[in-house]
Each structure stands twice: as C-alpha cells, then as structure tokens.
C-alpha cells in the first residue's frame, strides 16, 4: 500500500560518476527517485537504512567486484532486486551475474528502454517480493502469539487430520482440540480453515 | 734504383773531394818544404781543414788537422833542420796555431750543424706525424688572431672545408660555407669569443659546393693574449660520420620504441576500449534521458540542459582518450620539451586504470610537490611509465594472498633531480637476474620478448638519466629511474 503512494526508489552504484548521473537523469525522467553511489561500501551503508526498490550495479567497481555485493546485501538483510550493468559483457560474466542473483544483465551502452524495462520489472518484483515478505512477517508475528499446544493442533489440523485423530495423537479430549483449533484460527486472523492452510504453507516457506 | 745511382754518384763525388783534399795537402806540403819564400805557407792548410769539415767525419777532420800539423813540422825540419831560427820558427808556430784554431772552430761548427740537421729531421718527422694523425682522425687545426679575421689552417682543416691552396682562409670565407640555419649562431659565438677571450666550442653544418652536408665540431681556446688582441688555436673535426650514425641509431631506437608502444597499446586494448565505451554509454543515456525530459507533458528545460552539458563533457572525455591513444601510437621524431612527470604519471595511470582494476590491484601514487620539471619527450617517458606499471602488474598476476599493490613515487632526489619509483609487492626478482634485466631479449615471462625494459633504459639514457632495479625476493621489486631536472647537468 505504502509503496504505491510514494514513487519507487532506485540506487545506482557505479564508480564512474558520469554513468551514475546519466542513469539518474534517465530514471528521474520517468518519475523514479534515484540515489547514486560511487562505491559498494557507501551503498551498503545507505541500503541498510532504506531498502531500495531496485539496485543498478556495475559489475566492476574500484577495488572491489560488484559481483560480491549481492552476498553482502543478503548478509545485511537488504532484499532488493539487482540489475547488473557492465562495460563489456561476455557470457561468463553474465552467467556469474545471474548466479549472483541479478534479475537482469545489461551491457553498456544500453538503450534507455532496456534499462527502464529492467528497472520496472525489478520494481514490480520487488513490490511483490516485499508484499510477500510483509505478509510473512505479519503471519510470523501472529504465529508467535500461539501457545505450543495451539501450534501443535494447528500443524496437525492443516496436515489434514480430523479432530478426533488429533485428540488421540496428543492424548487430549476432542473438545479441547476444538478449543485450541478455534483459538489458533482467531489468533491467526484466519476467516476460514482454507486460509489457515495457506498461512501454514507460507510460514513453512 | 734512382736512389742507388744518386748514392753512388754521391759517393763518387765524396771520394773525388777527398782525393782533391789530399792532393791539395800534398801540394801545400811541397810548396812549404820547397819554397824559399819567408812566409808561412803552412797557413794554407787552413783551407784543407775547412774543406775537409764537409767531407770527412769528426775523426777524419782531427786526423787531417794532426796530419797538417805534422806536415808543417816536417816541412820546417826538412828546410831548416832542427835548429831554431827565430823567424821561421815563429812562422811555423803561427801556422800550427792557425791550423789548430781552425780545426777547433770547424769541428764546433760541424757539431752545431749536425745538431740542427738532427732537429730539422725530428721536426719534419713530427710534422709528418701530425699531418698523418690529423688526416686519420679527420681533425684539422687552425689558428686565428682576434679581432682580425685572417686564419691559419692546417692541410687537414683546408681539406675538411675543401679549400684549395690559393684560397686564403678567413673567418668570413668559412662562415660563407656554413648552413644558413647555423650561420647566425656561429657568427655570434665567434664574436663573443673574440671579445671575451673565452674558449669556443661549436658544432655546425657546412654545405659543400656540390650540396653535400658536413657536420663539423670546432674547439678553440685563447693561446696568446695582449690587451686588445687574442690569438686562438683550435681543432676542427669532421663529425659527419659520427652524427649520421648517431641519427641512424636514434631513428632505429625511436622506431623500436614505437613498435613496442603499439604492442603495449595492444595489451591495453581492453582497457582503452572501456575508457572510450564508458563515456559513450554516458552520452547515449544522457541523450535519451534528455529526450525523455523534453517529451514530458511539461518539458523540464533545466534537466535537458544538464543532460546536454553532460553529453558535451562525456564526448570530450572520449575524445581525450582517443587523443591520448593517438599520441602514444604516433610515429614521430621525439620532441623534447618541459615535462611535468607527476602530471604524466597521473595521465598514464588513467590509461591503465581498468587493467589495474581487472587485476584487482590497488594503485597508489605519491607525488612530491617539489619534484622538478624535466626536459624530455612526453610520449617516450609515458612509455617507460606504462611499461613499468604493466611489468609490476604482471609480476603480481600470480601473486596469491596478501594485497596486490603498485606504488608510484615521484620525488625530488638529493641532487635536486627527478626520481621515480614503481614498486610492487609481487614475488620480486631473483638476484642473478638483476644485472641482466635491462639487456635486450632478456625475459623471465613465458610470452615476453624481452624488449620492454631494454627500451626503457635506452629512453631514460637518451634523456640523460639512469634506470635501475632493486628487489628483496619475496617482498616485491622496485624499478627506479632518475632524470636530470630541466636545465640541470646530466646524471
């Protein structure tokens, strides 16, 4: 919801300031907010504060490889889609970029539309990804409010066991199982049992 | 054959002269002993002695003098007996004294004469040696007396200028032959030397009547000075052959340097392509974003202007790279001028920047602000710097563990000249290889030709500098060169 209101923000990381400025102007012309960085470390510091909707990353940075950055981003819990750009793209490099987690790989000089498309796709995926993440985090926080017994009952229920079977399995009365089950559905804010099943799927990843 | 005949004739006349002298002696003896005249006929022996000086050796002359004395006494005894009459005894004594004095003087004269002859012989010999040495070494000698312009020239000096014997060598005649470009310089130098009475050193070209060019070197120094004149003596050398050889050597050196430069450019091709591609990419993206800003419902003129300004800047940047590459690959005669090596190092590192990054090397530069300017050819010096950086990079390409670092130091040396060091932290150089590093075709690389450092050395030495390497095995290598500061003496 929030994402749709404020324009998306893209971080550009390239040690060549000219490239940073050019990309920034291009993206800004389509209404995207842009921040540019000439080194990986500065970018990481900023991205820890505000997670960008997309990162445009040069494969080769002064003294460091852009290909190492995705790993460092994960280590710092920065989950942003990455578009790699490079001065000379060979197959080896593009494979390495995709393996490192790139959504796209563009060779300089690229057409404006190519970059905009890649960024748009990334932002959309990023939005979806983050909606997903948000949902997951909400679910996790709700799940954390469940008592151990409620969790047990919920687990068995969504795996398809009848209340009677669960009661037998846990050595409880059927009524108690029913109460736990009702409790779990209420705490998870699940309207129907089917919703609870979906939630369990999401939670178990 | 001729000389044998002349020698024979000489001996013949010599013998005739001797015989004539002996006959004269006998005649005088006869006259002396037979004459009844009361005069000292024996004095005539003096003539015999004077003649014999030229035809007999010293001993011969002594013998003749003694003989004459003996004959005088004999004639006296034969005509007067052993008794001593005052008159005739006095005459005999006078004759004897005359003979002795004449013999003494004649012998003395002959010694002096033979000494003179010996010296003349030596003098002739040494003159012949001098002329021979002059013609062998293509060095003539000359002299002139300032302020008049008349000159003395040795045969070789005349030959060098191709003057004939009747031509009177003067400064003006000489200057007339000098190449138009050098004339003014030579005139001023001679004029200055004439007034200051200082040594002269000049090199100039002369144009022969048939159009040939010769390069001459002229050295002169004051020799005898009075208050308003000064005599100079000097040497004139034909250094055409040496200069031609030098020029040919320089040409082939600069060609070789050019070839290796182009080879180096080949090695840097990827870097250079990137250096051009980067601004081009920026130009394209800026142009496209400019269009987008224009095509918006409300065009943003400020953004468009900024985009266009960036396009200009980046297009210029690309063109700079192309210019730099063209400068390196240009095949031109070295042009010497004032060079700021710190500036040159900065410019050069930009060219190899990508290569450095690709090899994951950190390049650090320390420029001493007090580092002096030097006199040299930018392109060639840049070649040396590129070569040393590439060498340093390659030395570390197989270096695992530890940071890879190239350090470039530009500093002022203790002698106030320029010192440059390129240091790496690769494996270093084996001690046994250090003396051979700068030899042509010496290489430790699998694909190396072994010309890079040899050319670096020839370039640095041609600039009057020195290049050397030092290394602690395991701790990297340092390549250093020093160049004389602008206007300073050679190192």
């Amino acid at each position: 919801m929030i994402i749709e209101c404020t324009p998306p923000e893209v971080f550009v990381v390239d040690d060549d300031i000219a490239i940073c400025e050019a990309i920034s102007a291009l993206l800004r012309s389509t209404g995207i907010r842009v921040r540019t960085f000439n080194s990986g470390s500065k970018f990481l510091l900023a991205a820890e504060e505000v997670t960008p909707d997309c990162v445009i990353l040069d494969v080769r940075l002064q003294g460091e490889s852009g290909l190492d950055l995705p790993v460092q981003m994960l280590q710092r819990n920065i989950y942003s889609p990455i578009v790699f750009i490079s001065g000379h793209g060979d197959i080896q490099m593009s494979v390495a970029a995709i393996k490192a987690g790139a959504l796209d790989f563009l060779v300089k000089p690229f057409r404006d539309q190519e970059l905009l498309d890649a960024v748009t796709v990334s932002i959309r995926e990023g939005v979806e990804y983050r909606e997903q993440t948000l949902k997951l985090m909400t679910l996790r926080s709700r799940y954390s409010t469940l008592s151990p017994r409620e969790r047990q009952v919920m687990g068995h229920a969504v795996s398809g066991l009848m209340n009677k079977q669960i009661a037998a399995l846990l050595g409880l009365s059927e009524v108690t199982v029913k109460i736990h089950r009702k409790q779990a559905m209420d705490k998870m804010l699940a309207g129907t049992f089917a919703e609870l099943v979906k939630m369990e799927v999401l939670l178990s990843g | 054959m001729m000389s044998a005949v002349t020698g024979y004739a000489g001996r013949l006349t010599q013998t005739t002269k001797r015989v004539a002298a002996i006959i004269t002696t006998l005649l005088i003896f006869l006259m002396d002993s037979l004459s009844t005249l009361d005069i000292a006929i024996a004095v005539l022996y003096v003539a015999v002695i004077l003649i014999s000086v030229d035809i007999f050796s010293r001993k011969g002359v002594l013998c003749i003098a003694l003989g004459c004395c003996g004959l005088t006494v004999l004639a006296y005894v034969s005509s007067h007996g052993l008794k001593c009459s005052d008159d005739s005894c006095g005459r005999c004594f006078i004759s004897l004294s005359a003979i002795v004095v004449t013999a003494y003087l004649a012998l003395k004269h002959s010694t002096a004469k033979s000494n003179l002859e010996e010296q003349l012989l030596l003098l002739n010999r040494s003159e012949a040696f001098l002329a021979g040495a002059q013609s062998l070494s293509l060095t003539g000698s000359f002299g002139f007396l300032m302020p008049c312009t008349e000159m003395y020239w040795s045969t070789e000096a005349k030959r060098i200028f191709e003057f004939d014997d009747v031509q009177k060598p003067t400064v003006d005649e000489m200057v007339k032959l000098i190449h138009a470009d050098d004339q003014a310089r030579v005139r001023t130098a001679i004029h200055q030397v004439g007034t200051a009475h200082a040594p002269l050193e000049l090199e100039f070209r002369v144009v022969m009547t048939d159009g040939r060019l010769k390069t001459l070197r002229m050295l002169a120094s004051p020799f005898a000075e009075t208050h308003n004149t000064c005599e100079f003596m000097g040497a004139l050398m034909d250094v055409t052959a040496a200069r031609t050889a030098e020029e040919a050597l320089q040409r082939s050196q600069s060609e070789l340097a050019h070839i290796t430069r182009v080879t180096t450019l080949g090695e840097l091709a990827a870097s250079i392509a990137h250096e051009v591609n980067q601004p081009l990419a920026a130009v394209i993206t800026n142009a496209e974003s400019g269009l987008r800003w224009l095509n918006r419902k409300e065009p943003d003129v400020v953004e468009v202007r900024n985009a266009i300004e960036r396009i200009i800047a980046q297009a210029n940047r690309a063109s700079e790279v192309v210019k730099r590459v063209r400068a390196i690959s240009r095949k031109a005669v070295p042009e010497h001028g004032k060079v700021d090596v710190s500036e040159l190092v900065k410019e050069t590192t930009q060219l190899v920047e990508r290569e450095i990054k690709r090899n994951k090397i950190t390049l650090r530069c320390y420029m001493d602000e007090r580092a002096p300017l030097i006199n040299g050819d930018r392109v060639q010096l840049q070649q040396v710097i590129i070569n040393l950086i590439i060498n340093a990079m390659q030395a570390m390409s197989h270096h695992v563990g530890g940071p890879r670092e190239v350090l470039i130091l530009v500093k002022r040396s203790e002698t106030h000249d320029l010192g440059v060091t390129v240091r790496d932290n690769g494996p270093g150089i084996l001690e046994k290889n250090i003396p051979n590093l700068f030899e042509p075709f010496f290489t430790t690389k699998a694909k190396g030709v072994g010309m890079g450092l040899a050319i670096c050395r020839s370039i640095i030495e041609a600039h009057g500098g020195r290049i050397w390497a030092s290394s602690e095995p395991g701790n990297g290598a340092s390549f250093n060169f020093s160049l004389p500061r602008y206007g300073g003496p050679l190192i």
Side-chain angles (χ1 to χ4, degrees), chain B residues 61-125:
Chain B
V61 175
L62 262 174
C63 288
I64 293 224
L66 285 173
C68 289
C69 288
L71 287 175
T72 309
V73 174
L74 188 64
Y76 175 82
V77 172
S78 70
S79 53
H80 301 92
L82 284 169
K83 64 180 180 344
C84 181
S85 84
D86 286 348
D87 275 7
S88 49
C89 195
R91 278 196 296 274
C92 176
F93 181 71
I94 285 172
S95 301
L96 286 175
S97 322
I99 291 167
V100 169
V101 168
T102 310
Y104 171 72
L105 290 176
L107 281 175
K108 201 174 166 193
H109 169 72
S110 108
T111 315
K113 197 175 151 196
S114 68
N115 274 350
L116 261 180
E117 271 168 3
E118 216 169 276
Q119 274 172 10
L120 193 66
L121 203 70
L122 281 175
L123 193 65
N124 282 342
R125 233 167 106 82

Side-chain angles (χ1 to χ4, degrees), chain B residues 30-335:
Chain B
L30 284 177
M31 277 167 68
D32 191 19
S33 53
L34 299 178
S35 162
T36 50
L37 292 171
D38 285 342
I39 52 168
I41 292 174
V43 171
L44 291 178
Y45 283 125
V46 168
V48 174
I49 289 167
L50 288 178
I51 294 167
S52 63
V53 164
D54 284 335
I55 51 180
F56 288 104
S57 66
R58 289 173 63 85
K59 273 185 186 162
V61 175
L62 262 174
C63 288
I64 293 224
L66 285 173
C68 289
C69 288
L71 287 175
T72 309
V73 174
L74 188 64
Y76 175 82
V77 172
S78 70
S79 53
H80 301 92
L82 284 169
K83 64 180 180 344
C84 181
S85 84
D86 286 348
D87 275 7
S88 49
C89 195
R91 278 196 296 274
C92 176
F93 181 71
I94 285 172
S95 301
L96 286 175
S97 322
I99 291 167
V100 169
V101 168
T102 310
Y104 171 72
L105 290 176
L107 281 175
K108 201 174 166 193
H109 169 72
S110 108
T111 315
K113 197 175 151 196
S114 68
N115 274 350
L116 261 180
E117 271 168 3
E118 216 169 276
Q119 274 172 10
L120 193 66
L121 203 70
L122 281 175
L123 193 65
N124 282 342
R125 233 167 106 82
S126 98
E127 220 167 64
F129 273 16
L130 185 64
Q134 287 199 357
S135 93
L136 277 175
S137 63
L138 301 178
T139 306
S141 57
F142 65 91
F144 57 94
L145 183 74
M146 292 305 280
C148 44
T149 60
E150 210 160 286
M151 298 179 92
Y152 154 78
W153 286 13
S154 79
T155 322
E156 183 60 21
K158 280 186 191 166
R159 201 199 57 72
I160 288 173
F161 271 104
E162 297 178 12
F163 273 27
D164 50 32
D165 287 336
V166 283
Q167 232 165 331
K168 206 166 187 193
T170 63
V171 171
D172 289 328
E173 285 288 314
M174 180 185 86
V175 173
K176 256 187 230 167
L177 282 178
I178 292 174
H179 194 281
D181 295 351
D182 296 349
Q183 265 186 15
R185 187 166 56 85
V186 174
R187 265 188 212 280
T188 349
I190 290 180
H191 179 74
Q192 278 173 355
V193 156
T195 47
H197 297 186
L200 170 78
E201 190 173 344
L202 271 176
E203 194 166 311
F204 51 83
R205 290 160 297 165
V206 288
V207 188
M208 296 293 112
T209 40
D210 57 359
R212 269 175 305 125
L213 272 179
K214 281 186 180 180
T215 309
L216 304 184
R217 193 170 152 74
M218 191 180 221
L219 297 166
S221 60
F223 170 62
E225 258 180 291
T226 64
H227 66 284
N228 54 2
T229 65
C230 181
E231 195 173 359
F232 283 82
M233 56 143 195
L236 184 72
M237 278 162 268
D238 184 350
V239 290
T240 315
R243 287 291 166 273
T244 317
E246 226 167 69
E247 275 162 25
L249 183 68
Q250 259 173 15
R251 252 200 318 279
S252 48
Q253 261 182 354
S254 86
E255 259 176 38
L256 191 59
H258 173 247
I259 291 167
T260 48
R261 262 202 312 277
V262 173
T263 316
T264 313
L265 274 185
E267 283 179 46
L268 295 176
S271 289
I272 292 163
H274 187 275
E275 279 305 310
V276 180
N277 193 41
Q278 202 74 354
L280 283 184
V283 165
I284 292 170
T285 308
N286 276 317
E288 285 166 338
S289 70
L291 274 180
R292 281 178 181 274
W293 283 109
L294 262 184
N295 292 338
R296 274 153 72 110
K297 271 182 219 150
E298 284 167 30
D300 189 326
V301 184
V302 177
E303 284 287 356
V304 174
R305 184 186 297 130
N306 289 343
I308 291 175
E309 277 169 0
R310 284 194 300 267
I311 290 172
I312 295 170
Q314 292 307 305
N316 280 333
R317 175 178 156 199
S319 137
E320 262 320 298
V321 177
V322 172
K323 223 184 276 172
R324 235 177 282 153
V325 170
R326 192 178 288 153
I328 293 185
S329 61
R330 109 189 121 102
K331 190 176 181 177
V333 187
E335 274 172 33

